[in-house]
Amino acid sequence: MAGRIPGSQLEVMSKMMRAFLPEAMFPSEQNVRKLLRKLCGASADAFEKNPDLLQHWTYLLKYFNNRSMMKHAITIYPQDAIQTIRDKSLFLIGDQDMLSYYPKSLARLREYGINHRIVKNAGHAINHEMPELIHEEIVGFCR
C-alpha cells in the first residue's frame, strides 16, 4: 500500500515522539533538563553536572532540523544478512532507555544471536552516563 508506514518504523516514531515531546519543541534550559531526565533516568546528573554537555544538548535541540529525521528509513535485515557482523558487534542498552529497551528490540537481539548487554540504571545516553563502565565493556569485547 503506497504511503503506508511499516510497523517497526511507526513504532520507533511513536517512541521518539513520546520521548522528545513536548520538551524538544521548546528547547529552554529547563526543558532540556526535563528531556534529559526522561532519556537518562537516574543518570541525568551526568549532563546536569557538566555545563558543556548541557549546553551541547541545548544547542542540539534549539537548532535541530526535525525534517532531517524524516529521510531516515528503518531497515529490518533478515537473520542471514546479520551473520557477517554478528560476532563483531556489541549492543549496550541501558535498562532505562525508553527508545531502545523494550521487549521487541531485546527479542530481536536474542533471535539474531547478537552480543548485547543490558546496563542497569542507564538510559539512552549510556556513553555519557557511565563512561567508565562502557569503556570497560568495549575494551573487554575487543580483546
Side-chain angles (χ1 to χ4, degrees), residues 19-41 44-45 47-48 50-64 125:
F20 286 92
L21 296 179
E23 292 84 5
M25 293 182 71
F26 309 102
S28 66
E29 184 177 324
Q30 180 181 1
N31 279 344
V32 170
R33 289 176 188 273
K34 282 183 186 177
L35 176 60
L36 287 168
R37 282 186 217 112
K38 281 171 46 177
L39 292 174
C40 303
D45 64 337
F47 291 91
E48 294 194 17
N50 186 325
D52 292 333
L53 279 177
L54 191 60
Q55 186 66 54
H56 175 75
W57 266 83
T58 303
Y59 287 150
L60 278 175
L61 289 180
K62 196 171 191 177
Y63 300 108
F64 181 71

Side-chain angles (χ1 to χ4, degrees), residues 77-129:
Y77 291 97
Q79 197 172 37
D80 60 332
I82 300 294
Q83 296 222 9
T84 58
I85 65 163
R86 179 178 302 150
D87 296 330
K88 301 170 191 166
S89 302
L90 173 64
F91 281 77
L92 299 171
I93 301 171
D95 68 349
Q96 296 178 7
D97 183 345
M98 63 191 306
L99 297 173
S100 303
Y101 183 76
Y102 56 97
K104 199 175 198 179
S105 71
L106 299 176
R108 184 143 310 179
L109 289 170
R110 285 190 296 273
E111 174 189 339
Y112 286 5
I114 294 176
N115 296 306
H116 66 283
R117 307 272 186 291
I118 307 302
V119 179
K120 299 268 187 233
N121 302 314
H124 190 67
I126 192 169
N127 55 319
H128 291 294
E129 298 169 51

Side-chain angles (χ1 to χ4, degrees), residues 27 43 69 133 136:
S43 302
M69 290 304 289
L133 177 70
E136 287 175 26

